Amino acid sequence: MAAASDELKRAMPYTTRYPELGTGPIDVAPLIDPDLFELEKEKIFRKTWLLVGREEEIPEPGDYKVRQIDVASTSVIVVRDKTGKINAFHNLCTHRGNKIIQEEGAQTTGRTRSHLMTCRFHAWSFSTDGKLHGVPKEENFNKLDKNCLGLKTIHCEQWQGFIFINLDKTPEKNLVEYLEGMADQFAGYPYHESTVSYRYSTVLNCNWKVAMYAFSEGYHVPTIHAATLPSLAKIEQIDYQCFGPHSTSALYVPPVAGMQPTPATGNLGGRLVTSKQHGPHLDLLPEKINPERRTDFQFEFPVFFPNLVLHLGAGNGYPGMTYFHHQFWPLSVGQTLWEGTNYFRPPKTPSERVAIAHTNALHRNAWLEDTSTMEDTYAALCSGALDEMVLMDEEIMIRNTHRAWHEYMGV
Amino acid sequence: MMALLPEKFVSLNPFVESWALPNELQRSQQRWSASEEDYRRFYDAMMPMLDETLDYLDQYEIGNIPEEAIVLYHLSLAFAEAAPHVELYECANQVPNSFEAVRFEAAHGEQIDS
């Protein structure tokens, strides 16, 4: 690839740092083509590490979580065994294939009784380490080898309390290798302290990448969030880095002279900002995040291939030492289950709980703004009138995800 | 109506029936149907008393708020969630130019705040 001209480097200082990204338009077909969607199931969602939960969701031995993964036509049980180890299995009885744990939606949590999971069809029971424990009328089978009939295992690893699974029989990389530089860059943030979570979800009538790309850049912030986040009218999105299929950047908001918060925001947000527990803690950011320790730091938002966008705050943007993430689960080429989850440090007093409700409402309202374009975008793209889309420098993370998508897909 | 609010806060009694709801889902349903006037009156009554209200609530422990304070607590949560409509959305009951709020499902929506 020819070296970028000085003019191009000025226009796209970040993108031109990564020559493999190119600077031209990206193709639209991956966002709308049903055949490519079928291929994605095998080439991406059965090959990569997928986030399915947090360790805090299953704190005790015997606790489980079931995660539906429609794109791989499966439902996954993640369960903590007697030794505390977290295991993942297909939610399927090895007798005649019935689901072992009934789900209540895309994510279900619960606790096993006596470390056993029992199929309601014929009462086969399995222990939390996956072994087949009990079979009624076992003597009437033709020499049943219980050792070979344990639950079907799925690769499961944890990083920083995040539980990932990989549906590949033999994953090419372990989780930390797969995360590349991200594993180190984002280690050490006090994720485990933000144990209060608020999760919103909806089925969006759009391709999963349309939704994910909309959450992968800050270029839209001054327009889409003009109502809910007026203080973000002028943002600075910098610190871009790519790590293989993943990428990251940070958002800063230089203070605007004379801009005062509205009364309720000033009061409720102020309560969090001035508390030791919820107030700004730049010191708790991993050292490579906001390296200059700027006080106008809002959040860092890494994009993990294929379907996770994380946001790490430090308490000086949105009030509260919060982090949040978005996940995009394909249901079909034109349907996506979106899940947005806010994590807060637990409130210690009623007033802190009220203040957190306010911050959480602002997050949710901003997400209502984010999701407002996605169905229109997808519907319009399906016209086929646009073959390619042009991207500016601050849309570099979309460019990187798109590049990785082509690499995984081999097309 | 029963005396639902502590004596200092009886001026907020007119808002109890509509707004003092125990979980986020019910409070959201109220937000989506409230009129401009509803928002304005609730906000104007509660904002000047916010500090006093929260100080009062803070004598109790979260998760264990007694009956005499629980209605005020739910009213405060409703205020926190409704305030952006007044301060940012000109008292509209939906976020302007947004996705349909009713399509967002909150995993915690039916969890009672206690």
Side-chain angles (χ1 to χ4, degrees):
Chain A
M1 208 169 288
S5 69
D6 286 348
E7 193 188 348
L8 188 55
K9 280 184 188 164
R10 270 195 301 277
M12 305 183 91
Y14 286 105
T15 310
T16 49
R17 260 185 224 176
Y18 299 93
E20 67 276 20
L21 295 180
T23 53
I26 62 168
D27 55 336
V28 166
L31 303 175
I32 55 174
D33 185 328
D35 295 333
L36 290 173
F37 177 70
E38 289 306 312
L39 203 59
E40 280 179 342
K41 293 181 180 177
E42 288 308 315
K43 301 273 188 184
I44 293 177
F45 287 93
R46 286 182 187 276
K47 292 284 176 200
T48 53
W49 287 93
L50 306 171
L51 175 67
V52 295
R54 284 283 312 164
E55 287 179 0
E56 293 83 17
E57 291 178 276
I58 48 169
E60 302 295 330
D63 290 350
Y64 67 79
K65 174 173 185 180
V66 184
R67 163 89 247 179
Q68 285 176 353
I69 304 185
D70 295 75
V71 69
S73 306
T74 194
S75 151
V76 176
I77 300 173
V78 179
V79 60
R80 203 183 273 275
D81 68 22
K82 281 180 183 162
T83 68
K85 182 172 172 274
I86 296 173
N87 306 306
F89 307 105
H90 285 281
N91 183 11
L92 156 144
C93 179
T94 53
H95 173 214
R96 280 174 46 208
N98 190 40
K99 277 190 181 177
I100 306 236
I101 298 176
Q102 243 91 41
E103 301 125 312
E104 298 151 16
Q107 302 191 42
T108 307
T109 48
R111 178 166 293 179
T112 56
R113 280 189 203 156
S114 318
H115 274 270
L116 290 177
M117 297 174 279
T118 304
C119 178
R120 71 188 188 101
F121 200 175
H122 305 96
W124 281 34
S125 60
F126 299 86
S127 53
T128 46
D129 59 5
K131 290 196 180 105
L132 176 56
H133 174 83
V135 175
K137 295 193 178 178
E138 189 183 335
E139 65 280 12
N140 292 125
F141 282 89
N142 177 13
K143 289 180 225 152
L144 195 70
D145 185 354
K146 282 170 44 190
N147 290 325
C148 297
L149 286 167
L151 292 174
K152 299 289 181 189
T153 306
I154 295 169
H155 293 275
C156 180
E157 292 181 27
Q158 294 94 55
W159 168 80
Q160 299 289 306
F162 292 99
I163 305 168
F164 286 78
I165 57 137
N166 191 317
L167 292 160
D168 198 353
K169 287 218 161 75
T170 48
E172 256 175 49
K173 295 175 178 177
N174 67 29
L175 175 60
V176 168
E177 288 164 356
Y178 173 76
L179 295 174
E180 302 203 17
M182 305 284 267
D184 177 50
Q185 181 100 350
F186 297 103
Y189 184 88
Y191 303 101
H192 60 283
E193 291 178 16
S194 295
T195 51
V196 171
S197 70
Y198 298 102
R199 184 174 80 238
Y200 298 90
S201 65
T202 195
V203 174
L204 297 162
N205 294 312
C206 72
N207 184 268
W208 65 279
K209 296 184 293 305
V210 168
M212 168 119 162
Y213 289 0
F215 277 111
S216 299
E217 42 89 0
Y219 185 31
H220 70 269
V221 171
T223 43
I224 286 293
H225 300 306
T228 297
L229 308 171
S231 62
L232 270 55
K234 275 217 159 99
I235 56 167
E236 196 182 327
Q237 198 187 346
I238 54 171
D239 302 345
Y240 293 92
Q241 278 182 278
C242 297
F243 299 99
H246 321 291
S247 53
T248 187
S249 77
L251 214 132
Y252 298 82
V253 184
V256 180
M259 186 138 187
Q260 291 296 322
T262 52
T265 300
N267 187 309
L268 295 170
R271 285 168 188 270
L272 295 179
V273 169
T274 54
S275 102
K276 190 159 180 268
Q277 167 91 338
H278 305 281
H281 273 291
L282 290 172
D283 53 310
L284 295 180
L285 286 172
E287 61 179 25
K288 289 174 188 156
I289 312 303
N290 182 13
E292 291 169 29
R293 294 299 186 241
R294 281 172 57 172
T295 53
D296 60 348
F297 171 81
Q298 280 277 319
F299 47 72
E300 173 93 8
F301 66 116
V303 176
F304 293 78
F305 192 79
N307 70 336
L308 167 67
V309 179
L310 187 64
H311 288 71
L312 308 184
N316 40 350
Y318 277 119
M321 183 68 200
T322 70
Y323 76 94
F324 53 101
H325 61 62
H326 299 285
Q327 277 198 284
F328 311 91
W329 296 100
L331 303 176
S332 69
V333 62
Q335 276 203 315
T336 300
L337 171 66
W338 161 84
E339 296 168 333
T341 314
N342 277 319
Y343 296 85
F344 292 89
R345 288 181 163 188
K348 288 204 168 130
T349 59
S351 65
E352 285 183 3
R353 164 71 185 103
V354 172
I356 284 173
H358 180 262
T359 298
N360 186 56
L362 290 177
H363 277 250
R364 180 203 53 216
N365 294 357
W367 296 347
L368 285 167
E369 294 169 341
D370 284 309
T371 46
S372 71
T373 61
M374 297 168 184
E375 295 186 341
D376 282 350
T377 301
Y378 180 71
L381 287 176
C382 285
S383 69
L386 196 66
D387 294 328
E388 297 183 319
M389 41 178 76
V390 291
L391 299 175
M392 52 93 83
D393 200 36
E394 289 174 26
E395 294 171 306
I396 178 177
M397 296 201 288
I398 296 174
R399 197 182 283 284
N400 191 55
T401 305
H402 207 72
R403 181 199 59 76
W405 182 93
H406 276 289
E407 203 172 288
Y408 270 85
M409 292 284 282
V411 296
Chain B
M1 201 195 288
M2 295 189 318
L4 294 164
L5 290 171
E7 208 178 321
K8 300 200 263 192
F9 303 101
V10 290
S11 64
L12 299 174
N13 268 337
F15 305 100
V16 165
E17 196 180 336
S18 302
W19 292 98
L21 299 163
N23 64 39
E24 186 182 309
L25 179 61
Q26 288 180 32
R27 293 192 296 267
S28 290
Q29 286 163 343
Q30 164 63 12
R31 278 190 302 109
W32 301 330
S33 62
S35 68
E36 210 178 303
E37 177 69 15
D38 292 336
Y39 273 109
R40 177 53 63 197
R41 286 177 51 235
F42 180 38
Y43 181 89
D44 286 349
M46 189 121 189
M47 186 65 226
M49 300 181 75
L50 189 57
D51 280 329
E52 204 180 340
T53 303
L54 296 178
D55 287 347
Y56 176 86
L57 291 172
D58 277 351
Q59 63 182 308
Y60 303 110
E61 229 178 83
I62 189 161
N64 197 18
I65 296 174
E67 214 177 313
E68 61 267 29
I70 197 77
V71 174
L72 189 65
Y73 181 50
H74 292 155
L75 203 59
S76 305
L77 288 164
F79 175 80
E81 292 158 359
H85 291 259
V86 178
E87 297 187 341
L88 303 168
Y89 315 141
E90 297 176 337
C91 295
N93 58 20
Q94 301 292 329
V95 179
N97 303 311
S98 74
F99 189 76
E100 296 148 82
V102 68
R103 286 175 61 192
F104 265 27
E105 192 184 321
H108 54 279
E110 293 181 56
Q111 210 169 285
I112 302 286
D113 285 292
S114 59

